[in-house]
Amino acid sequence: MAGLRRRGAGPSSGSAGDKDVVLGERCGDLDLRNDSDIPEVSPSTDSTPEILKKALSGLSSRWKNWWIRGILTLAMISLFFLIIYLGSFMLMLLVLSIQVKCFHEIITIGYRVYHSYELPWFRSLSWYFLLCVNYFFYGETVADYFATFVQRREQLQFLIRYHRFISFTLYLTGFCMFVLSLVKRHYRLQFYMFAWTHVTLLITVTQSHLVIQNLFEGMIWFLVPISSVICNDITAYIFGFFFGRTPLIKLSPKKTWEGFIGGFFSTVAFGFIFAYLLAQYQYFVCPVEYNSETNRFVTECAPSELFQIQSYSVPALLQAVLGRETINMYPFQIHSIALSTFASLIGPFGGFFASGFKRAFKIKDFADTIPGHGGIMDRFDCQYLMATFVHVYITSFIRGPNPSKLLQQLLVLQPEQQLNVYKILKSHLIEKGILQPSLRG
């Protein structure tokens, strides 16, 4: 109120100087607003193709949205299967593309809400920070998985050896540019957007990096979690659409307990069956490795014990139901239950978080990229949470020492260092009785 009284005071309130003061006060009071004071973002436009609008014109809005979502969902799933067929590299490009689009959608909301289009350099700085963070994370991936390829090219060895220093220098340059761009009466607004950019980077870039890390462990660690989230999203919507009566959470009024419970059981069953189908093929279970001789990603290996059929005793309570005392299945199917359970019980909280975010800034969707679905972020709000869980799950319960990755790291060492490692390893093997002391190196 004090700011409003100052704006109307004095005969010269319409001068250019007073306009700047008013703008500065408006920006400075942003942190004192309640939710009702947040400016509304312009509503998203209807991007539904005209052919679909005409075909569904006779239906109610409820069923029209059902058909639009269904048709576009099938189209997206078909495209996803095509990319899977094209291989691991195309999946990595897909993850990177989704990351960039999600970043664009979230950062654009910040521009609109805080009216920051006119801030000097800031749009460019946001994208510059995106490039810096991607350079750091994907450079780490190159150093880990492409060591033999890098070793053959001297110009790349410099970039890998000083990768973290270069990454820090690039980020520091952007940081200094931000400080130099600070403008009087806009300080608080500029720091709002600086924080907005970094939180967006945390949500998008780091999580997409974990998705690709999971993919390198084997395509099955990429497909089962992602498909489980998709399955839960679809089945929860179907159960909620037909049977939903009891509201689940105020943040998402359309979400119901019926949809939540139906989605849970459907997702666990789907994950168990889908894991069984994928575990039969090397293409899905073998770690993704780069072959420097053919310059291709390869997925060939002797499947680990996780992907070999084993016999398990059936609990006494279930023996009468199943009619057998033992059951044969892949050990990975047990892990798939854990992944599916997380996807259906905890994964939706990523969607609730996104719903709260959209309500806070009075928007229906992050964008209007996909008719009936909203933006890319609307479809992947649960996937990022899932990616973190899978990465933690693998490192905690699955991953052991990786000889292939260790060998790649050894090949990057200097010859003297490699010889020293060889001598230590030889001495260790002799002590264990695996090698004879008379063996010549």
Side-chain angles (χ1 to χ4, degrees), residues 136-205:
F136 170 73
F137 279 115
Y138 288 94
E140 294 285 305
T141 300
V142 170
D144 284 343
Y145 294 96
F146 300 84
T148 53
F149 173 79
V150 171
Q151 190 182 24
R152 296 179 179 181
R153 289 161 175 78
E154 293 185 3
Q155 64 273 23
L156 294 180
Q157 290 182 26
F158 174 82
L159 295 177
I160 294 300
R161 183 176 298 276
Y162 301 103
H163 170 68
R164 296 194 175 186
F165 181 80
I166 295 172
S167 300
F168 178 72
T169 302
L170 291 173
Y171 178 83
L172 201 59
T173 301
F175 179 82
C176 293
M177 291 172 64
F178 166 73
V179 174
L180 292 174
S181 72
L182 291 173
V183 179
K184 189 177 181 180
R185 292 188 297 273
H186 293 282
Y187 294 147
R188 188 170 298 178
L189 177 59
Q190 288 179 285
F191 277 100
Y192 276 137
M193 289 307 301
F194 184 77
W196 187 290
T197 299
H198 282 67
V199 171
T200 305
L201 291 172
L202 177 66
I203 294 173
T204 57
V205 182

Side-chain angles (χ1 to χ4, degrees), residues 341-410:
T341 299
F342 183 91
S344 53
L345 295 185
I346 308 299
F349 280 84
F352 301 152
F353 177 85
S355 296
F357 177 88
K358 289 183 285 188
R359 282 181 170 273
F361 297 103
K362 299 182 179 180
I363 55 176
K364 182 177 181 293
D365 297 308
F366 283 94
D368 56 359
T369 309
I370 312 172
H373 292 266
I376 298 295
M377 191 64 196
D378 290 286
R379 293 277 58 85
F380 289 90
D381 46 12
C382 300
Q383 295 288 4
Y384 288 116
L385 195 61
M386 189 72 196
T388 305
F389 172 74
V390 175
H391 184 75
V392 172
Y393 188 89
I394 291 174
T395 55
S396 300
F397 305 110
I398 304 299
R399 182 188 295 159
N402 189 334
S404 177
K405 185 175 180 180
L406 180 60
L407 180 60
Q408 290 180 338
Q409 294 173 337
L410 288 174

Side-chain angles (χ1 to χ4, degrees), residues 38-305:
I38 296 294
E40 292 193 18
V41 179
S42 56
S44 57
T45 58
D46 185 5
S47 57
T48 306
E50 289 297 327
I51 187 171
L52 273 181
K53 288 182 180 179
K54 292 180 180 179
L56 304 174
S57 58
L59 299 176
S60 65
S61 59
R62 184 170 183 260
W63 280 99
K64 186 184 297 183
N65 184 63
W66 161 270
W67 280 104
I68 291 174
R69 285 176 66 99
I71 292 171
L72 268 296
T73 296
L74 291 175
M76 288 188 291
I77 291 175
S78 300
L79 177 62
F80 185 51
F81 279 126
L82 175 62
I83 295 175
I84 293 172
Y85 174 77
L86 294 176
S88 306
F89 182 71
M90 293 304 297
L91 283 173
M92 295 177 196
L93 290 181
L94 174 65
V95 172
L96 181 60
S97 301
I98 291 173
Q99 173 222 116
V100 172
K101 181 58 180 173
C102 288
F103 177 85
H104 173 258
E105 290 178 358
I106 299 176
I107 209 71
T108 299
I109 293 173
Y111 294 147
R112 293 177 180 175
V113 168
Y114 294 114
H115 302 291
S116 57
Y117 285 104
E118 304 303 323
L119 289 178
W121 299 4
F122 210 87
R123 291 173 67 87
S124 300
L125 278 175
S126 297
W127 289 98
Y128 176 80
F129 282 125
L130 177 66
L131 291 175
C132 289
V133 177
N134 270 305
Y135 177 81
F136 170 73
F137 279 115
Y138 288 94
E140 294 285 305
T141 300
V142 170
D144 284 343
Y145 294 96
F146 300 84
T148 53
F149 173 79
V150 171
Q151 190 182 24
R152 296 179 179 181
R153 289 161 175 78
E154 293 185 3
Q155 64 273 23
L156 294 180
Q157 290 182 26
F158 174 82
L159 295 177
I160 294 300
R161 183 176 298 276
Y162 301 103
H163 170 68
R164 296 194 175 186
F165 181 80
I166 295 172
S167 300
F168 178 72
T169 302
L170 291 173
Y171 178 83
L172 201 59
T173 301
F175 179 82
C176 293
M177 291 172 64
F178 166 73
V179 174
L180 292 174
S181 72
L182 291 173
V183 179
K184 189 177 181 180
R185 292 188 297 273
H186 293 282
Y187 294 147
R188 188 170 298 178
L189 177 59
Q190 288 179 285
F191 277 100
Y192 276 137
M193 289 307 301
F194 184 77
W196 187 290
T197 299
H198 282 67
V199 171
T200 305
L201 291 172
L202 177 66
I203 294 173
T204 57
V205 182
T206 57
Q207 302 303 310
S208 66
H209 174 69
L210 294 180
V211 171
I212 292 181
Q213 292 290 309
N214 298 338
L215 176 59
F216 274 109
E217 296 294 329
M219 202 178 293
I220 196 169
W221 291 103
F222 173 85
L223 293 177
V224 170
I226 284 181
S227 301
S228 295
V229 173
I230 294 172
C231 174
N232 182 255
D233 192 33
I234 294 173
T235 55
Y237 176 76
I238 292 174
F239 276 94
F241 184 88
F242 287 106
F243 309 108
R245 297 292 183 273
T246 313
L248 175 63
I249 186 171
K250 291 183 179 179
L251 283 173
S252 298
K254 294 183 179 180
K255 300 291 176 62
T256 63
W257 276 103
E258 291 81 1
F260 185 76
I261 295 171
F264 167 72
F265 287 106
S266 301
T267 303
V268 172
F270 167 82
F272 191 82
I273 296 172
F274 192 51
Y276 173 79
L277 296 175
L278 295 185
Q280 303 177 47
Y281 302 96
Q282 284 190 15
Y283 183 72
F284 297 114
V285 304
C286 291
V288 177
E289 296 181 351
Y290 179 77
N291 189 322
S292 58
E293 296 180 357
T294 61
N295 289 327
R296 294 174 60 245
F297 287 102
V298 295
T299 51
E300 298 175 357
C301 67
S304 66
E305 292 183 357

